[in-house]
Amino acid sequence: MFFIPNMASFVQNLTFMVVFFTVLTAFLIGFLSMPILISAFKKMRVMDKPGGRKIHKDDTPSMGGIVIVFSVLLTAFLWLDIYNLVEIRYVIAALALMFFVGLRDDLVELSPFQKLGGQFVATFMVVFMSDIRITGLYGLFGVYDLHIGISYALTFIAIIGLTNAFNLIDGLDGLAGSISVLTFGFLGWWFMTIGMESFGLFSLILMGSVLSFLVFNWHPAKIFMGDTGSLSLGFALSILTILFIDVNGHLPNVNPWKFNAPIASGIALMIVPIYDTVRIFARRIRRGRSPFAPDKNHVHHFLMRMGLGHDRVAITLGVVKCFFIALMFIGAAYSDYLMLPLILFTAVLFGARLDAVTLKRVRENVKNAPPVLQQKPGRVKHKPVISKPVTESMHMSNN
């Protein structure tokens, strides 16, 4: 009579222990390897120098994504059984390819077309080999299934767009890492809950690896992730988010973990990079500039102009991300007809408020600052001394 409940409890505890030690392994591999990479880069003087649009003030090692991806792959091969590895083998291969694209761009800068070509090949592997794609609109506008060509095209645009959008927010200590940890954590929990163990463990392995990186990337950062990390993590996030949208869209309505607004839920998961990219492109186009021209008008730049430091900006945008995830749960029973406008309107409202507050704060700072002509120069503590050889070679004219 008591065998089945006890067995069920045993299996549940065993699964929890497997998940715990899997995440712990990923974290420890990254935590123990990262100082070695930092030390090696310092000795080889492979450093990211300040200047231009960069915010940091000191020479700092980059390419921390090397350890992130290394710990992900090693942990996956250590803890995932053969069935799980086979199921995600093309995702792992595509992630490895994207890693080398980012590594090459960090070492020898790639042209935009070369980088896009590498991203296209990696996306091709995932879409065509793993069949991870957006298959429909899940009832939005009455559309349930998309034509196969439209499905492939839309998925390619979504994966490459989201990958590069995430790459754009990697401009601040701890920001990209914090956003990705929250997303990987949610996706890992959700995939495990609905029975997709391979993708659930893979998401949680990514979370553990990024957590170890955050220990060294939190302000003041000892290392940056570089394109090696941001492209790899952005690519993994885009793949898993699209998989979440499609699987969630096809879950039966009786499933307790179904979000009835799959498209809005996917946008909420990637709201920070999506909003930042759309906002910055719109500002540049409105000012007659190329949408791809770099500048310092990203959301994190605006928050810093308000007087927030690196850590407070990362925490603030992390809280915003948590708010949108909470909004997903609150509106889980509602369809995209309601949730999609709500998510988009909330994001636009937040952005408008951010711009207004930032502009007000900058004006206050300018108003309270003393005029340049009224600023007293610093006192000279020591009189200038002219060396003797210089005085001997000087010719004093009587005129």
Side-chain angles (χ1 to χ4, degrees):
M1 293 292 293
F2 297 98
F3 175 75
I4 295 178
N6 288 340
M7 180 58 71
S9 177
F10 172 77
V11 172
Q12 186 177 7
N13 291 335
L14 182 62
T15 302
F16 172 79
M17 294 300 290
V18 169
V19 170
F20 174 77
F21 281 110
T22 300
V23 176
L24 182 63
T25 300
F27 176 84
L28 289 177
I29 291 174
F31 182 77
L32 296 175
S33 302
M34 198 66 73
I36 299 174
L37 184 69
I38 294 172
S39 177
F41 280 163
K42 285 184 176 180
K43 289 180 180 179
M44 293 186 295
R45 304 196 179 203
V46 181
M47 311 288 276
D48 191 354
K49 298 184 179 298
R53 295 186 304 111
K54 299 175 181 177
I55 299 176
H56 64 282
K57 299 179 180 178
D58 302 314
D59 291 358
T60 307
S62 186
M63 291 185 286
I66 293 175
V67 167
I68 295 175
V69 176
F70 169 73
S71 62
V72 168
L73 297 180
L74 182 56
T75 305
F77 285 110
L78 286 174
W79 278 101
L80 298 187
D81 58 33
I82 188 65
Y83 171 79
N84 289 330
L85 282 175
V86 168
E87 189 172 11
I88 65 170
R89 65 192 184 279
Y90 297 118
V91 174
I92 290 178
L95 178 66
L97 175 59
M98 188 63 76
F99 163 77
F100 282 107
V101 171
L103 181 63
R104 167 63 192 274
D105 192 47
D106 279 331
L107 294 174
V108 181
E109 187 174 357
L110 294 172
S111 69
F113 288 105
Q114 290 174 325
K115 192 185 296 187
L116 190 63
Q119 295 173 4
F120 185 89
V121 174
T123 304
F124 180 91
M125 294 171 64
V126 171
V127 174
F128 283 91
M129 307 300 287
S130 291
D131 199 34
I132 296 176
R133 57 190 175 89
I134 301 171
T135 59
L137 296 185
Y138 318 103
L140 183 64
F141 307 125
V143 178
Y144 288 89
D145 296 313
L146 291 173
H147 183 272
I148 188 70
I150 298 175
S151 172
Y152 283 137
L154 184 61
T155 305
F156 266 80
I157 294 171
I159 292 179
I160 293 175
L162 290 174
T163 299
N164 289 285
F166 182 82
N167 186 38
L168 291 177
I169 69 169
D170 181 32
L172 206 68
D173 296 350
L175 177 56
S178 300
I179 297 300
S180 60
V181 160
L182 293 171
T183 310
F184 285 134
F186 170 83
L187 290 170
W189 163 81
W190 191 82
F191 284 131
M192 291 295 293
T193 303
I194 66 167
M196 297 182 66
E197 183 178 318
S198 55
F199 287 98
L201 287 174
F202 183 64
S203 301
L204 293 173
I205 288 171
L206 283 159
M207 182 191 74
S209 299
V210 179
L211 273 174
S212 67
F213 168 75
L214 271 177
V215 174
F216 302 93
N217 184 242
W218 200 253
H219 187 69
K222 299 178 180 65
I223 190 169
F224 304 138
M225 68 170 63
D227 279 357
T228 309
S230 60
L231 285 179
S232 301
L233 293 180
F235 183 66
L237 283 169
S238 64
I239 293 170
L240 295 171
T241 300
I242 286 174
L243 180 64
F244 161 78
I245 292 172
D246 193 60
V247 172
N248 179 70
H250 288 100
L251 283 178
N253 292 328
V254 295
N255 192 302
W257 304 114
K258 177 182 174 65
F259 295 88
N260 285 319
I263 297 176
S265 298
I267 292 175
L269 284 178
M270 296 291 286
I271 191 63
V272 174
I274 288 174
Y275 172 76
D276 180 63
T277 301
V278 172
R279 174 183 173 275
I280 201 70
F281 277 23
R283 287 176 64 89
R284 291 168 183 170
I285 293 172
R286 192 169 64 246
R287 295 180 179 183
R289 301 177 58 204
S290 167
F292 303 102
D295 56 31
K296 297 179 73 172
N297 288 316
H298 290 274
V299 171
H300 51 271
H301 292 132
F302 266 59
L303 288 172
M304 290 195 72
R305 290 189 190 118
M306 291 174 59
L308 302 181
H310 288 245
D311 47 355
R312 292 181 66 187
V313 172
I315 292 172
T316 299
L317 291 178
V319 170
V320 170
K321 176 66 174 284
C322 291
F323 169 78
F324 277 92
I325 292 177
L327 205 58
M328 287 170 53
F329 282 96
I330 295 172
Y334 300 102
S335 70
D336 277 315
Y337 286 108
L338 174 64
M339 292 302 297
L340 190 56
L342 178 63
I343 294 291
L344 296 178
F345 176 76
T346 305
V348 171
L349 189 65
F350 162 77
R353 179 62 180 165
L354 170 65
D355 288 350
V357 171
T358 303
L359 184 60
K360 181 180 178 181
R361 185 69 59 89
V362 170
R363 285 175 176 171
E364 289 177 353
N365 292 338
V366 172
K367 183 178 179 180
N368 296 330
V372 177
L373 295 178
Q374 293 182 9
Q375 295 180 5
K376 296 181 180 180
R379 294 182 59 186
V380 179
K381 296 183 180 180
H382 303 286
K383 295 181 179 180
V385 179
I386 304 177
S387 60
K388 188 174 181 181
V390 174
T391 58
E392 290 177 351
S393 62
M394 293 173 62
H395 174 70
M396 306 299 293
S397 173
N398 293 327
N399 296 329

